Amino acid sequence: MKQKPNLPFWSLWNLSFGFFGVQIAYALQSANISRIFATLGADPHNLSYFWILPPLMGILVQPIVGTLSDKTWTRFGRRIPYLFIGAAVAVLVMCLLPNAGSLGLTISAAMMFGLIALMFLDTSINMAMQPFKMLVGDMVNEEQKAKAYSIQSFLCNAGSVAGFVFPFLFTWIGVSNVAKKGVIPDSVIWSFYIGAAILILCVIYTTLKVKEWNPQEYAEYNGTSTSGDSDHTNGTNNASDSSNWLTLLRNAPSTFWKVGLVQFFCWAAFLYMWNYTTGAIAETVWYTTDPASEDFQTAGNWVGILFAVQAIGSVIWATILPQFKNTKVAYAVSLIIGGIGFVLVPFIHDAYLQFIPFILIGCAWAAMLAMPFTFVTNALQGYGHMGAYLGLFNGTICIPQIIAALCGGIILTLVGSHQSTMMIVSGVLLCIGAACVTIIQKK
C-alpha cells in the first residue's frame, strides 16, 4: 500500500470548505427548530418528541449513503454526488419549513407539516455532511488527519456563527421579529432563505475544487486492491459484504464502540441544549414562558447569539486542540469544561454574562466534532469499507438523540418542568462522557 501524500493546507481546506455552508443550515435548524414549534403551539413537555424522526432518519440513511458511496465511481467523484444531492434537497426544504405557520393550516396540520419538513431537512443535511468526513478518511494520511478534522471543525463553527446570528441580524436591520400567533416571524424565514443560498454556493465550490482519486489510485493509497471496499481490477464494482452491516459491526475495532459510548452521553447532552435553550434563556433572563410574547421571540434571537458565542469558543478551542500531546486528555478536558458551562446557565440572569457558559460549552463542541473521527478513522485503517463504517458510526450520533428525545418530557417533569434545569442535566451527561474517554485505546 502506497503512503498517502501530505496535502498542502489549501487542499485540506478545499476538502472541507462546503462544510461551511452545510453548517449554516445545521445552525439554523439547531437554534430555531424548538422556537418554531413552540411558536406553532407545541407544549414544552412534548417539544423533544419533534426531534425523534430526524435522528431516526439519519441512522437509516447514513449507512446507506456510506455503503453506496463506497461502491460509487463517477466522473464527478465517489462521495461528491451524495454531497450535492443532499445539499440540493436541504435547500428546497429550508425554503419550505419556516413557512409552516403561513399556509393557512390548522395548528396540528402546521406542526405535522413542520415535522415532516424537519425530517427531510435533517436527513439531507446529514447526507451532505457525511461525505466531507469520508473525503478526509479517503484522501488524508494519519499524520494530517487531526489537522484536517480541525479545519473541518473551524469551518463548521464559522458557518455556525453565521447561521446563528442571522435572525438577530435581520431583526437589527428592520425585518419583523414578531408575527401573529402561530406564524413564524419574517426574521426567521429570511434567515432560512439566505442560509439555503449560501449552502448551495459553498457546495458548488467544493465540487469544482476537489478531484477525488480514481478507483486505481484509491486502491493503491488505501490498500483495498484485494480486501477493500470494491473490486477495481476491471474498473467495476463488486457488491461484496460491504452491505452486510451486521458483519461490519461484529468486526469493528473496539475503539469504534468505546468512542460510541462517549458519543452517547455527548449527543444526548446537546440534544437537550437544542431543545430547551430557548425556553431556558426566556425563563432565566427574560422571565417569560409565553411563546406568543415579544420577550420570548427576543430570547429566541438571543439564543442565536449565544450559540454563535459557543461557535466562536469552538473555533478558538479547535486551534488549541492539536497542541495537546495526548488526544485522550484533550477530549476529556474539553467535555468537562463544556459540562461546567451547561451547569452555569440557570444561575446567570444577565444576557451578556451568559456568554461565559456558552464559550465553555463551545470547547466541548469543538472536541466532539474533531476527536471521535480522529480516533475511529485511525482505528479503521486496513479494515476497508470506510464509508460504510462512518455511516454506521453516525448511529452513535443518532441513537443518543432518539433516546434523549424520548426521555426529554419525562426528565423535564422530574426536574420541576423548568427548561433551565435541563441545562444541568446536559452538564452531568457531558461529565459522564468525559469519564468514558478513559477506556478508549488510542492507535
Side-chain angles (χ1 to χ4, degrees):
M1 182 175 70
K2 291 175 64 176
Q3 177 66 33
K4 295 178 184 178
N6 283 330
L7 299 177
F9 173 82
W10 289 113
S11 293
L12 295 174
W13 176 273
N14 290 338
L15 276 176
S16 298
F17 181 75
F19 221 109
F20 177 80
V22 173
Q23 194 60 28
I24 287 178
Y26 194 68
L28 286 167
Q29 171 187 296
S30 302
N32 294 286
I33 288 304
S34 288
R35 176 184 182 180
I36 287 172
F37 283 108
T39 301
L40 292 175
D43 182 274
H45 293 83
N46 299 328
L47 205 53
S48 65
Y49 299 146
F50 291 97
W51 289 83
I52 294 175
L53 275 178
L56 181 61
M57 290 300 295
I59 199 172
L60 295 174
V61 170
Q62 289 303 329
I64 294 173
V65 171
T67 301
L68 290 178
S69 67
D70 278 345
K71 298 185 288 183
T72 297
W73 298 96
T74 72
R75 56 177 295 195
F76 302 106
R78 189 186 195 198
R79 315 296 187 183
I80 286 177
Y82 296 90
L83 158 65
F84 196 87
I85 293 170
V89 174
V91 166
L92 175 62
V93 179
M94 288 175 72
C95 294
L96 295 174
L97 174 59
N99 290 294
S102 307
L103 303 176
L105 303 173
T106 63
I107 293 176
S108 59
M111 285 197 284
M112 181 58 66
F113 178 89
L115 179 60
I116 294 172
L118 173 60
M119 177 183 69
F120 280 102
L121 178 59
D122 195 86
T123 300
S124 59
I125 288 175
N126 277 284
M127 185 176 179
M129 187 183 298
Q130 196 72 358
F132 289 109
K133 298 181 176 70
M134 296 176 187
L135 283 171
V136 172
D138 287 347
M139 302 181 69
V140 179
N141 61 37
E142 284 85 349
E143 181 183 347
Q144 290 189 303
K145 201 163 284 179
K147 181 178 180 180
Y149 283 125
S150 292
I151 290 173
Q152 276 197 4
S153 182
F154 172 83
L155 289 167
C156 172
N157 288 291
S160 294
V161 171
F164 288 143
V165 303
F166 276 171
F168 183 89
L169 177 62
F170 282 117
T171 301
W172 182 71
I173 63 176
V175 178
S176 177
N177 192 48
V178 293
K180 64 181 181 180
K181 187 175 181 179
V183 176
I184 312 304
D186 286 344
S187 58
V188 176
I189 293 174
W190 277 99
S191 295
F192 274 77
Y193 289 169
I194 300 301
I198 296 174
L199 167 59
I200 198 64
L201 290 174
C202 289
V203 168
I204 289 173
Y205 174 89
T206 294
T207 59
L208 292 176
K209 289 291 186 178
V210 174
K211 178 175 174 55
E212 295 186 67
W213 289 327
N214 61 40
Q216 290 73 30
E217 290 172 323
Y218 179 87
E220 289 175 0
Y221 284 117
N222 288 277
T224 59
S225 56
T226 59
S227 60
D229 303 58
S230 303
D231 179 5
H232 306 307
T233 305
N234 297 314
T236 60
N237 294 330
N238 176 28
S240 64
D241 66 346
S242 63
S243 62
N244 190 338
W245 301 331
L246 291 178
T247 299
L248 293 178
L249 289 174
R250 282 198 299 268
N251 296 329
S254 62
T255 299
F256 182 97
W257 299 106
K258 292 173 181 177
V259 176
L261 179 63
V262 179
Q263 291 271 83
F264 179 89
F265 295 104
C266 293
W267 285 95
F270 274 81
L271 187 279
Y272 289 144
M273 183 192 79
W274 296 322
N275 274 354
Y276 298 112
T277 298
T278 299
I281 296 303
E283 286 179 8
T284 304
V285 180
W286 274 269
Y287 304 103
T288 182
T289 57
D290 180 11
S293 67
E294 183 177 351
D295 282 345
F296 188 92
Q297 297 299 332
T298 301
N301 277 0
W302 195 251
V303 167
I305 297 298
L306 293 177
F307 282 5
V309 169
Q310 171 208 319
I312 292 171
S314 296
V315 169
I316 296 171
W317 194 248
T319 65
I320 297 173
L321 283 175
Q323 308 306 316
F324 279 84
K325 293 183 178 180
N326 189 316
T327 49
K328 286 177 60 175
V329 171
Y331 197 6
V333 168
S334 300
L335 297 182
I336 291 171
I337 291 173
I340 293 171
F342 274 123
V343 172
L344 289 175
V345 171
F347 302 101
I348 297 176
H349 301 285
D350 181 270
Y352 291 95
L353 288 180
Q354 284 284 354
F355 288 174
I356 296 171
F358 279 87
I359 287 174
L360 300 181
I361 292 169
C363 297
W365 184 242
M368 286 170 58
L369 293 176
M371 294 298 178
F373 289 95
T374 299
F375 285 121
V376 170
T377 55
N378 282 343
L380 288 173
Q381 291 303 314
Y383 277 73
H385 316 299
M386 181 69 75
Y389 268 119
L390 290 184
L392 291 168
F393 188 67
N394 190 66
T396 67
I397 296 174
C398 298
I399 292 174
Q401 293 182 68
I402 294 170
I403 295 174
L406 288 170
C407 299
I410 298 172
I411 296 175
L412 179 61
T413 300
L414 292 175
V415 298
S417 296
H418 296 296
Q419 295 186 59
S420 56
T421 311
M422 294 299 290
M423 300 297 100
I424 298 177
V425 174
S426 291
V428 172
L429 289 170
L430 274 191
C431 290
I432 296 173
C436 293
V437 171
T438 59
I439 68 172
I440 298 174
Q441 294 177 334
K442 186 174 66 171
K443 180 177 178 181

